[in-house]
Amino acid sequence: MNSIKKIPRKVWWGLEAKSYTEIAQELPTADEKLRRWVAIYAVYHLDFDNRFPGERYYNFLESAKGSKYVIVDFTLPIHILEKRDSIGASDTTITNCKKLDTEEEIDLFLQNNNIDPELFTPPWTCEYPLD
């Protein structure tokens, strides 16, 4: 009997304990000019009401306000990564974005989209480009 793959507990607990706002992994892409990442953000950690004046979140996070998590799957042209010091969500092409409220919903989404949950890491360990 196959056991269901899960996000590594240490990584998941880091997300839940606010050690980081998102966890991510880089995924393969058929286009050699692109890199692809998938990330899970803990939206409920974000304070949408008491921000510094002018502070904004990415549009996909603003759209997920009221949900507990959002998964975003996007590509980014390699030439942008090589030429810019700063990358923003407007530089990406979002191929999938889903609001979710439980770890079980996340597990099902990952399974349905053939994403290996065991490969999620803190963002800095997979060269995640969005700050």
Side-chain angles (χ1 to χ4, degrees), residues 5-23:
K5 290 184 173 186
K6 303 283 274 180
I7 295 169
R9 293 296 84 190
K10 182 177 180 181
V11 174
W12 182 257
W13 291 328
L15 182 68
E16 291 290 287
K18 298 184 181 183
S19 295
Y20 22 85
T21 305
E22 72 275 0
I23 56 176

Side-chain angles (χ1 to χ4, degrees), residues 29-35 76-79:
T29 178
D31 187 338
E32 63 188 34
K33 296 178 183 173
L34 298 174
R35 287 179 72 182
L76 184 62
I78 290 174
H79 77 275

Side-chain angles (χ1 to χ4, degrees), residues 38-111:
V38 63
I40 302 170
Y41 283 80
V43 179
Y44 71 99
H45 288 326
L46 304 175
D47 189 346
F48 291 94
D49 298 322
N50 298 311
R51 306 182 224 194
F52 292 111
E55 181 181 17
R56 290 192 35 85
Y57 293 114
Y58 298 121
N59 286 339
F60 65 85
L61 293 173
E62 296 282 355
S63 297
K65 190 174 11 178
S67 62
K68 194 165 181 183
Y69 305 99
V70 66
I71 295 180
V72 61
D73 184 343
F74 65 90
T75 59
L76 184 62
I78 290 174
H79 77 275
I80 289 176
L81 285 168
E82 293 174 345
K83 294 185 184 204
R84 292 205 194 146
D85 291 334
S86 175
I87 306 295
S90 62
D91 298 313
T92 68
T93 300
I94 295 176
T95 56
N96 203 346
C97 188
K98 179 81 173 164
K99 296 180 269 188
L100 302 163
D101 288 311
T102 67
E103 188 177 359
E104 291 76 22
E105 289 176 339
I106 291 170
D107 292 340
L108 185 60
F109 176 90
L110 297 175
Q111 181 180 356

Side-chain angles (χ1 to χ4, degrees), residues 109-120:
F109 176 90
L110 297 175
Q111 181 180 356
N112 290 341
N113 288 277
N114 297 314
I115 298 169
D116 187 344
E118 294 178 335
L119 299 179
F120 277 95

